[in-house]
Amino acid sequence: PRNILEAPDARLLEPAGLPRRPRDSHKGGNGHILAIGGDHGTGGAVRMAAEAALRTGAGLVSVATREENVVAMNAARPELMARGVNGPQALQPMLQKASVVALGPGLGQSAWGHALWTTALDAGLPTVLDADGLNLLHAAPRPLPARIVLTPHPGEAGRLLGVSTADVQADRFAAGREIAKRYRAVVVLKGNGSLIVSSEGAVAVCPWGNPGMASGGMGDTLTGIIAGLMGQGCEPYEAACLGVGLHARAADVAARAGERGLLAGDLLDPLRRLVNGLDA
Ligand code: B4P
Ligand code: MG
């Protein structure tokens, strides 16, 4: 496989690719991310995506989730605007205020998750689709927004293609390209050496990251990072390349304290330094 460092899009993995923030920057100009997910028992997933979007520099981050998650989320991270939504009616006004949607972490596949999923996709906003957002797409194909990033791990990629996880891993380039083509989407095929595939089939490979990242919540964090970058003006492919690179490099910094026991939340501090171009 080709290494990103030899690929024409290598520069997109460099944080220097992030535009400098103007002096008169205001929160309204740095993206309003709406993270949607967090069914019973998986509220942590959507919170991690939302926090990662904040630490990537998003101006505002809202969370649409199950009512039961709201008190804890607001207490632990008051910068988040978390609301309990019981269905599409409650979600609509939140979508109207958002500029980018992060859809899927902890969403589940119940009637609740499905209803929020259809409403969010139909809004047509730039969207990062992950986790159960991808599993629902496999179960019930639906038109996607024009600006869309899909972030499957090999298991989710296999489901989207109707093949096994082993088949995906046997030819990751072919699998990534096929998903990008089928859904006219930017695709991040996660795993050791994550691939970023443009909707035209250009491929970049991430040379960073480590096995410590094989722990719960890592993928949710990546979703929030990519959404946060899109909110700050990056196009989907650029946001996906830059986001995967920042995520993996933040994990490499955090893993200096050991790969075993690395938590997704440990990425947030180094992520902030990297996104600002500081030595982590
Ligand atoms: P789920 O149970 O759906 O896991 P999840 O909730 O999506 O977890 P999370 O969001 O935290 O992590 P994600 O994988 O999205 O699915 C897990 C199942 O999927 C596994 O039991 C397995 O069946 C299958 N599966 C997943 N990855 C596989 C793989 N690589 N090979 C074979 N089967 C796989 O995101 C994790 C993040 O960490 C990504 O950004 C990823 O690139 C990174 N990461 C993980 N391991 C890494 C490594 N070794 N090196 C570099 N980066 C790594
Ligand atoms: Mg995941």
Side-chain angles (χ1 to χ4, degrees):
R2 289 178 308 149
N3 189 299
I4 178 65
L5 298 174
E6 296 154 18
D9 299 296
R11 65 193 166 81
L12 293 179
L13 282 160
E14 298 299 330
L18 256 192
R20 250 197 122 74
R21 202 169 263 198
R23 299 295 303 174
D24 63 349
S25 176
H26 61 97
K27 66 182 179 185
N30 294 318
H32 186 162
I33 313 306
L34 174 57
I36 304 172
D39 199 358
H40 304 304
T42 48
V46 73
R47 178 181 153 195
M48 280 186 287
E51 272 200 78
L54 277 177
R55 287 297 187 200
T56 307
L60 292 166
V61 181
S62 292
V63 181
T65 187
R66 287 279 192 189
E67 183 68 44
E68 70 203 42
N69 298 323
V70 171
V71 170
M73 225 180 281
N74 284 338
R77 192 83 270 165
E79 297 86 347
L80 293 175
M81 297 179 288
R83 291 185 81 105
V85 296
N86 52 14
Q89 258 200 335
L91 185 61
Q92 278 301 358
M94 297 182 83
L95 285 163
Q96 273 159 21
K97 289 188 193 144
S99 57
V100 176
V101 171
L103 180 58
L107 184 65
Q109 299 185 53
S110 68
W112 176 81
H114 189 265
L116 298 188
W117 180 80
T118 53
T119 307
L121 286 182
D122 291 355
L125 291 166
T127 296
V128 184
L129 193 61
D130 184 32
D132 282 315
L134 297 168
N135 295 328
L136 286 164
L137 183 62
H138 155 71
R142 191 174 192 89
L144 297 173
R147 291 202 168 112
I148 181 94
V149 180
L150 310 179
T151 60
H153 59 53
E156 289 153 351
R159 248 165 269 146
L160 285 174
L161 293 172
V163 303
S164 70
T165 307
D167 287 338
V168 170
Q169 293 296 70
D171 193 344
R172 287 170 53 82
F173 279 78
R177 282 213 173 96
E178 181 57 30
I179 296 170
K181 197 171 123 192
R182 219 178 265 192
Y183 293 97
R184 281 199 215 105
V186 172
V187 174
V188 175
L189 178 55
K190 297 183 286 195
N192 177 23
S194 286
L195 301 182
I196 307 99
V197 188
S198 78
S199 44
E200 289 86 37
V203 184
V205 186
C206 178
W208 302 293
N210 63 79
M213 297 171 78
S215 71
M218 282 294 168
D220 310 317
T221 303
L222 175 66
T223 298
I225 293 172
I226 297 173
L229 292 170
M230 283 164 70
Q232 292 171 83
C234 293
E235 287 300 318
Y237 183 60
E238 185 188 10
C241 287
L242 197 52
V244 167
L246 285 167
H247 180 246
R249 284 202 281 187
D252 287 347
V253 173
R256 286 179 199 150
E259 284 179 357
R260 281 208 174 79
L262 180 67
L263 303 186
D266 297 338
L267 272 55
L268 297 176
D269 281 344
L271 170 67
R272 180 176 174 196
R273 294 189 64 80
L274 289 168
V275 94
N276 284 288
L278 303 173
D279 286 337

